[in-house]
Amino acid sequence: VPEIDLLSPLAIRGVTLRNRIVMSPMCQYSAEDGLANDWHLVHLGSRAAGGTALIIVEATAVTPEGRISPADMGLWGEQHVEPLARIARFVRSQGAVAGIQLAHAGRKASCEPPWLGGASITSAEAGGWEVVGPSPIPFRDGDPVPVPLDEPGIEAVIDAFEAACRRALEAGFQVVELHAAHGYLLHEFLSPLSNQRTDRYGGSLDNRMRLVLRVAERLRGVMPPELPLFVRISATDWVEGGWDIEQSVVLARHLKGLGVDLIDVSSGALVPKATIPVSRGYQVPFARRIRDGAGIMTGAVGMITEPGHANEVITAGDADLAFIGRELLREPYWAIRAQHELDGEPSWPIPYGYAVKRRAR
Ligand code: FNR
């Protein structure tokens, strides 16, 4: 049996990734009215040309109120489809797979972009809007209090995720990732720290999981059987009494039962004051735990910057995919460097490859 490593292809349903390197979704806060533009095309396209197997478009809001900032990407209308389709076409033309993350920011919506400080925008005149959540508990002291979603509000959110998923498919995306991490709406329902509801969406673990499971079920229902569905979670809030890895394993089992293919395992960001031991590969053990405990494929993410380390994550069986974030911002062609370092044949863009391939000289 040939060993599986970072450069091994991976088939998930009907989609084959050329290696195990994924561009982690990263907000650019560079859209107007939710529309993708030339920046997004070049930003994402260069990583596709740079050998990455799967490019996941940043958190893309399913409603205007679901944006973190007014400059977030969106898929709440038909006008958003064509600019994203242009990106999906280019990504696919480079031999990469085009993925997109669908998101609702919940109580963390209506903020300035991080380079302007990231503060809540509290008035409509300043471009902000009313934020929603499971319960009237703000993210930070002094932030606007979220309006708790009522049952019709919850149904509308689920419908918005489904409609956005249909548009993503129309745009040519082959992988959809549901964002249920980082303290945004779906994670807010999961965690007892942000969800203090007494209806069927709060209290017990089953009730707190209800919204994300319902959304995942609806997305799986509109996705063709040959296309993969991923879910990103925060495996722990890093706070006593919060969401934790044990609950994450249970959630992953349920998601698997609904036809979710892979859990992308991140952590934190539900509350501002958590002590997180950030270090090399610090979230990898959670990916391992979920992979073993729920029998589902996982992606590892967070402080994986060296090809050798990413390779170890795969060969050790900690995860099936290595998601690379900031290192791919620093170095768009990181996957080509990884292929060199691990002695593979780099997946050069076609106009370069014939000229620079080592073995074709
Ligand atoms: C992020 N991250 C992130 N995560 C996510 O699920 N959706 C998103 O849209 C974003 N946006 C985003 C923007 C920027 C600029 C950064 C740096 C990060 C988190 C990201 O995907 C990744 O999980 C973390 O950056 C940790 O991985 P690295 O950077 O240590 O490889």
Side-chain angles (χ1 to χ4, degrees):
V1 187
E3 202 194 359
I4 306 258
D5 65 17
L6 187 68
L7 305 184
S8 310
L10 176 65
I12 311 178
R13 294 182 181 259
V15 171
T16 301
L17 308 182
R18 58 186 164 184
N19 58 51
R20 307 301 180 103
I21 304 167
V22 180
M23 182 175 184
S24 203
M26 283 177 283
C27 288
Q28 299 299 294
Y29 307 105
S30 300
E32 250 178 77
D33 299 322
L35 295 163
N37 57 42
D38 286 0
W39 170 254
H40 304 98
L41 175 70
V42 174
H43 161 69
L44 298 158
S46 52
R47 278 71 187 178
T52 303
L54 167 62
I55 308 292
I56 304 188
V57 173
E58 68 189 74
T60 299
V62 301
T63 66
E65 313 75 54
R67 290 174 295 171
I68 303 164
S69 83
D72 283 27
M73 199 96 97
L75 252 180
W76 62 82
E78 282 305 309
Q79 70 276 19
H80 297 115
V81 173
E82 186 43 40
L84 280 168
R86 182 174 170 234
I87 292 170
R89 278 194 299 271
F90 182 78
V91 165
R92 295 177 68 167
S93 77
Q94 299 306 302
V97 170
I100 188 164
Q101 189 184 52
L102 300 182
H104 189 302
R107 69 177 184 175
K108 288 172 80 175
S110 187
C111 291
E112 291 171 339
W115 57 81
L116 297 177
S120 285
I121 308 174
T122 53
S123 72
E125 303 81 70
W129 57 89
E130 197 170 71
V131 303
V132 298
S135 301
I137 308 166
F139 174 59
R140 292 168 290 220
D141 295 339
D143 276 353
V145 176
V147 178
L149 284 170
D150 57 12
E151 283 261 0
I154 287 175
E155 294 305 319
V157 164
I158 297 171
D159 289 346
F161 270 104
E162 178 182 325
C165 184
R166 286 183 195 280
R167 294 188 189 106
L169 297 169
E170 203 187 315
F173 288 94
Q174 303 152 279
V175 172
V176 171
E177 176 168 285
L178 178 58
H179 197 351
H182 301 167
Y184 299 117
L185 186 68
L186 299 178
H187 183 187
E188 289 161 21
F189 271 79
L190 290 172
S191 177
L193 303 177
S194 43
N195 180 348
Q196 295 179 359
R197 299 173 74 97
T198 53
D199 66 356
R200 66 192 189 110
Y201 289 95
S204 67
L205 175 58
D206 278 345
N207 282 355
R208 284 180 281 118
M209 292 192 304
R210 193 178 308 282
L211 178 57
V212 64
L213 293 177
R214 286 197 61 204
V215 174
E217 186 174 24
R218 288 281 282 278
L219 297 196
R220 189 68 264 175
V222 298
M223 290 190 66
E226 67 274 14
L227 298 186
L229 175 61
F230 295 1
V231 177
R232 173 168 275 200
I233 66 168
S234 283
T236 176
D237 291 339
W238 298 105
V239 177
E240 197 66 36
W243 182 256
D244 59 21
I245 181 64
E246 301 309 322
Q247 296 172 82
S248 293
V249 171
V250 175
L251 173 63
R253 281 195 206 115
H254 280 86
L255 290 169
K256 184 187 177 190
L258 294 173
V260 169
D261 300 290
L262 180 141
I263 309 294
D264 169 11
V265 186
S266 187
S267 76
L270 183 92
V271 290
K273 288 179 208 126
T275 313
I276 306 180
V278 177
S279 60
R280 179 180 182 269
Y282 70 108
Q283 294 171 149
V284 173
F286 298 128
R288 175 71 190 226
R289 187 66 221 295
I290 289 170
R291 192 173 189 259
D292 290 346
I296 189 167
M297 283 191 277
T298 59
V301 66
M303 300 285 277
I304 302 169
T305 59
E306 284 306 316
H309 179 209
N311 194 48
E312 275 167 35
V313 167
I314 305 300
T315 57
D318 293 331
D320 300 275
L321 294 175
F323 283 59
I324 311 295
R326 289 161 292 178
E327 200 63 12
L328 266 172
L329 299 185
R330 297 185 187 103
E331 193 178 345
Y333 280 28
W334 186 89
I336 285 178
R337 174 159 74 83
Q339 288 160 339
H340 267 296
E341 283 186 22
L342 300 171
D343 209 30
E345 187 60 79
S347 38
W348 293 108
I350 287 161
Y352 301 172
Y354 79 94
V356 298
K357 260 185 185 176
R358 289 179 299 198
R359 285 174 198 131
R361 244 188 321 257

